[in-house]
C-alpha cells in the first residue's frame, strides 16, 4: 500500500457528538459468508454510515447498544469500513490467521462503535490490504482524522435537500475533494444511509464509479437527526 501518501496535514474533523470508548473483553468470532477473492487492489472506499438513520430502528437492540443506546455518546457519521476495490469486483475474505486484539478494537470504537463490525471489516476487507490488523486499523483512522465533517444536522433542515447538496457540502469542507468523489447512498424512502468516499490506489481522492456514486445529484434526500 502507498502508506507514504497518508502523511497528510492534520485537520480537525467535526464529529458532532462525544464518545466514551467501552471496555472490550473479547474479540467477536467472524465466519466468512462468501468465497474468498484474492485480487489486485486498484483503489479504496471509505464508507461512512449516518448513525442516526442506522439507529432509528435499533435503539433498544442489545447488539447495537454501544452505538445506539446513547450510553456511550451520540454519533453522527461513523466508519462502516475501509474497502479495497478491484478492477471489476472487490477482493474479500483473503486468507489470514490473525485477528485484532481487544485493545486494538477498543481504540477504534469511537469512530466505528461496534466490536463485531470492526472485527468483520478486518476479516472481510482489511485482510486483502494488510498483513496485520493494526496496519489496517491505523490507515482507517488516519483517513478519518484527515476529514472535516460538514454540519449535516444544520444541512438536514434545508428546504429541497438533494443528494447533490449532501455530496457538495462534503467536497466544500474538504480541500482536494470534488463532489464526484463522494458517493451518497439513500434508502428506498430517500433518507441518507451512507457516504462512500472514493480513493485511488495511493489514497488520493478519486472519482467514484457509478456503483459507488449512488444517488443522482437531483435525487430528493432527507437526513434523520435522531431527535
Amino acid at each position: 500500500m502507498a502508506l507514504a501518501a497518508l502523511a497528510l496535514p492534520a485537520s480537525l474533523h467535526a464529529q458532532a457528538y462525544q464518545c466514551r470508548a467501552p471496555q472490550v473483553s473479547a474479540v467477536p468470532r467472524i465466519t466468512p459468508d462468501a468465497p474468498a477473492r484474492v485480487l489486485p487492489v486498484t483503489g479504496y472506499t471509505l464508507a461512512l454510515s449516518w448513525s442516526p438513520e442506522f439507529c432509528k430502528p435499533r435503539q433498544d437492540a442489545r447488539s447495537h447498544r454501544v452505538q445506539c443506546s446513547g450510553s456511550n455518546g451520540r454519533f453522527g457519521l461513523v466508519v462502516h469500513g475501509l474497502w479495497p476495490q478491484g478492477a471489476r469486483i472487490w477482493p474479500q475474505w483473503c486468507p489470514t490467521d490473525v485477528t485484532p486484539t481487544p485493545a486494538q478494537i477498543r481504540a477504534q470504537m469511537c469512530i466505528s462503535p461496534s466490536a463485531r463490525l470492526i472485527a468483520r471489516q478486518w476479516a472481510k476487507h482489511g485482510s486483502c490490504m494488510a498483513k496485520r490488523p493494526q496496519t489496517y486499523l491505523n490507515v482507517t483512522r488516519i483517513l478519518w482524522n484527515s476529514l472535516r465533517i460538514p454540519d449535516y444536522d444544520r444541512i438536514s433542515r434545508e428546504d429541497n435537500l438533494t443528494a447533490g447538496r449532501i455530496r457538495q457540502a462534503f467536497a466544500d469542507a474538504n480541500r482536494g475533494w470534488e463532489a464526484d468523489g463522494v458517493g451518497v447512498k439513500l434508502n428506498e424512502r430517500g433518507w441518507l444511509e451512507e457516504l462512500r468516499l472514493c480513493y485511488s490506489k495511493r489514497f488520493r481522492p478519486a472519482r467514484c464509479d457509478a456503483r459507488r456514486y449512488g444517488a443522482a445529484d437531483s435525487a430528493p434526500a432527507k437526513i434523520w437527526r435522531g431527535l
Side-chain angles (χ1 to χ4, degrees), residues 52-72:
E53 181 63 28
F54 175 84
C55 289
K56 191 190 303 183
R58 299 178 175 91
Q59 289 183 351
D60 299 322
R62 183 170 182 174
S63 59
H64 298 289
R65 177 182 58 81
V66 173
Q67 182 173 352
C68 299
S69 70
S71 60
N72 292 89

Side-chain angles (χ1 to χ4, degrees), residues 23-37:
Q23 294 296 327
V24 177
S25 58
V27 177
R29 183 181 179 87
I30 303 299
T31 302
D33 57 5
R37 287 199 296 260

Side-chain angles (χ1 to χ4, degrees), residues 21 31 47 52 56 90 96 109 146 153 158 166 169 200 212 216 220 227:
T31 302
K56 191 190 303 183
W90 58 92
T96 181
M109 291 285 281
S146 75
D153 182 275
E158 295 179 3
I166 291 172
S200 71
R212 290 181 289 166
L227 302 176

Side-chain angles (χ1 to χ4, degrees), residues 17-204:
Y17 309 109
Q18 297 298 314
C19 167
R20 183 173 60 256
Q23 294 296 327
V24 177
S25 58
V27 177
R29 183 181 179 87
I30 303 299
T31 302
D33 57 5
R37 287 199 296 260
V38 181
L39 301 169
V41 174
T42 60
Y44 302 91
T45 302
L46 184 65
L48 305 180
S49 173
W50 182 246
S51 189
E53 181 63 28
F54 175 84
C55 289
K56 191 190 303 183
R58 299 178 175 91
Q59 289 183 351
D60 299 322
R62 183 170 182 174
S63 59
H64 298 289
R65 177 182 58 81
V66 173
Q67 182 173 352
C68 299
S69 70
S71 60
N72 292 89
R74 297 287 182 181
F75 299 92
L77 283 171
V78 298
V79 175
H80 178 172
L82 176 60
W83 307 335
Q85 301 295 316
R88 295 187 178 181
I89 197 168
W90 58 92
Q92 63 179 19
W93 300 114
C94 294
T96 181
D97 58 0
V98 293
T99 59
T101 66
Q104 289 169 345
I105 294 282
R106 185 172 191 257
Q108 208 80 351
M109 291 285 281
C110 281
I111 69 170
S112 191
S114 165
R116 177 166 294 279
L117 175 64
I118 296 166
R120 179 179 170 83
Q121 293 301 300
W122 156 253
K124 183 175 182 179
H125 302 291
S127 62
C128 299
M129 291 174 50
K131 294 181 179 179
R132 298 184 299 124
Q134 189 64 66
T135 302
Y136 173 71
L137 297 175
N138 284 348
V139 171
T140 302
R141 197 157 50 244
I142 289 169
L143 291 176
W144 168 260
N145 286 336
S146 75
L147 302 176
R148 293 180 180 270
I149 306 302
D151 186 355
Y152 283 120
D153 182 275
R154 178 185 58 78
I155 292 170
S156 72
R157 304 169 194 270
E158 295 179 3
D159 294 332
N160 302 314
L161 184 62
T162 64
R165 169 67 175 121
I166 291 172
R167 60 171 48 95
Q168 187 63 54
F170 183 90
D172 290 345
N174 290 274
R175 187 174 62 180
W177 282 89
E178 300 293 339
D180 63 8
V182 183
V184 175
K185 182 183 178 184
L186 305 178
N187 67 17
E188 64 278 3
R189 301 182 308 280
W191 293 91
L192 175 65
E193 285 190 341
E194 197 160 85
L195 298 185
R196 293 181 174 174
L197 308 181
C198 299
Y199 291 87
S200 71
K201 191 175 180 178
R202 293 188 58 81
F203 291 100
R204 298 300 186 189

